[in-house]
Amino acid sequence: MQSAPLPYRFRIDVAREDIDFMGHVNNASYLKWVQEAVISHWRGLAPPEAVAKHLWVALKHEITYRRPAFLDDDVVATVLLEKVQGARAFYETVIRRGSEVLAEVKSSWCCVDAETLKPSRLARDVIDHFFTKTDEA
């Protein structure tokens, strides 16, 4: 059996504040959206007791911009947890308008204990909430 990441869809509301002098979404807004999407992914799939005990700090974002987004666009981020290694998690987030890819983001995050703020490993049973078992082909 192999594990496959469970896709998590996060709807993005393009706000007037996201629009830059060129009339499309500023690149910095994509970073904000990815951070919101990954945190929502964690809160949406992890057990409540794990959410209460752990926080996430972004370590790195690598963004490839494909197309501009505009005010009133219907934008969705699809988040995948690629792997967890120690206290680090590696994500892929694809931001789309319909079938068009607007941006692709690879990011790494550090899990920290909510009380001590020190790096913290997740238990295997918590990590399992983010993956589905599939038959190997």
Side-chain angles (χ1 to χ4, degrees), residues 67-116:
R67 289 186 162 75
F70 303 95
L71 192 63
D72 299 324
D73 276 353
D74 184 19
V75 178
V76 174
T78 302
V79 179
L80 294 174
L81 175 60
E82 294 180 311
K83 70 177 180 175
V84 176
Q85 189 173 35
R88 291 182 71 185
F90 299 86
Y91 279 90
E92 177 181 17
T93 304
V94 179
I95 300 172
R96 291 184 176 88
R97 173 183 50 234
S99 62
E100 290 181 294
V101 174
L102 303 177
E104 298 165 302
V105 185
K106 296 280 191 177
S107 58
S108 62
W109 296 72
C110 181
C111 180
V112 296
D113 181 278
E115 288 185 27
T116 67

Side-chain angles (χ1 to χ4, degrees), residues 14-124:
V14 180
R16 184 154 305 283
E17 304 83 55
D18 293 318
I19 306 303
D20 65 14
F21 67 96
M22 294 179 19
H24 56 68
V25 172
N26 185 291
N27 289 356
S29 291
Y30 287 87
L31 179 60
K32 175 185 72 170
W33 294 344
V34 168
Q35 292 196 168
E36 291 170 353
V38 168
I39 297 303
S40 179
H41 173 258
W42 165 249
R43 291 178 179 156
L45 296 180
E49 50 287 351
V51 172
K53 292 180 184 178
H54 300 94
L55 303 171
W56 289 94
V57 176
L59 299 175
K60 180 180 179 180
H61 296 292
E62 183 178 313
I63 304 176
T64 302
Y65 300 98
R66 301 287 181 197
R67 289 186 162 75
F70 303 95
L71 192 63
D72 299 324
D73 276 353
D74 184 19
V75 178
V76 174
T78 302
V79 179
L80 294 174
L81 175 60
E82 294 180 311
K83 70 177 180 175
V84 176
Q85 189 173 35
R88 291 182 71 185
F90 299 86
Y91 279 90
E92 177 181 17
T93 304
V94 179
I95 300 172
R96 291 184 176 88
R97 173 183 50 234
S99 62
E100 290 181 294
V101 174
L102 303 177
E104 298 165 302
V105 185
K106 296 280 191 177
S107 58
S108 62
W109 296 72
C110 181
C111 180
V112 296
D113 181 278
E115 288 185 27
T116 67
L117 301 181
K118 292 184 179 182
S120 178
R121 292 175 182 253
L122 293 174
R124 179 84 249 163

